[in-house]
Amino acid sequence: MDQVRRFGWLYFAGFMLVVGIGYVPAFHDADGNLFGLFKLDLYDDSLHFFSGLWAGIAAWWSYGAARTYFRLFGPLYFADGVMGLFLGSGYLDGGIFLYGPVRLSLYAHVFANLPHLVIGGVAIYVGYRLARRPAIAP
C-alpha cells in the first residue's frame, strides 16, 4: 500500500478516535468542556465523523481517491483552523453561522484550533507534495 493511502487510513482512525473521545466522561471538566478547552456538539461530531469516513473510503478505494481527499480536505480544514483561530468559530461545522465570532482566551483559541491547522497542513503536504511522487503498484 502506498503512503498516501496509509495517511488516509491514519486520518480515518484519528477522526473516529476524536469522535469516540468526545463521549468519554473522564476527558470532560465540570463545565462539560473537552480537556477543559471547548465543547463539542453534534455539528462537530458530524464533521469529524464524515471527515474520517471520507478518508477511510478514499484510502480503501484507490490512490487517486486518497490523493483527491487530501487535496480537497487539506485546504478546507486548514482554512477552518485559521478562521477559528481569529474568530473562535469555524465554517465547516457551521459554528460561524450558528454562534458568530466567539471570544475565548488566547489559550483556548490556539489549542482549540491547533489540531485543525496541523491536520489540514499535513493533509496539504500529503495531497500536493507526497502525492506528486508516482504511486508504487502493490
Side-chain angles (χ1 to χ4, degrees):
M1 180 180 300
D2 58 78
Q3 288 183 325
V4 175
R5 291 174 83 181
R6 277 194 201 106
F7 269 101
W9 286 117
L10 181 67
Y11 270 56
F12 167 76
F15 277 117
M16 294 305 149
L17 182 64
V18 166
V19 172
I21 283 174
Y23 293 96
V24 177
F27 296 120
H28 293 270
D29 66 7
D31 295 326
N33 292 324
L34 188 63
F35 302 117
L37 293 173
F38 47 82
K39 287 184 172 42
L40 293 178
D41 57 20
L42 179 62
Y43 300 109
D44 296 310
D45 287 339
S46 298
L47 171 65
H48 294 138
F49 178 79
F50 286 110
S51 295
L53 186 62
W54 181 20
I57 291 170
W60 170 76
W61 194 267
S62 70
Y63 172 83
R67 180 185 60 219
T68 299
Y69 166 80
F70 286 111
R71 287 183 175 180
L72 294 174
F73 173 83
L76 288 171
Y77 216 68
F78 187 82
D80 186 66
V82 170
M83 187 175 194
L85 186 64
F86 290 105
L87 300 177
S89 293
Y91 62 88
L92 287 176
D93 65 353
I96 195 68
F97 307 110
L98 296 170
Y99 313 116
V102 177
R103 288 185 178 249
L104 303 168
S105 68
L106 179 61
Y107 175 80
H109 272 275
V110 170
F111 286 101
N113 291 288
L114 189 60
H116 287 226
L117 296 170
V118 171
I119 291 166
V122 170
I124 290 168
Y125 171 78
V126 171
Y128 288 98
R129 296 288 291 170
L130 188 63
R132 282 191 352 194
R133 300 182 207 144
I136 299 170

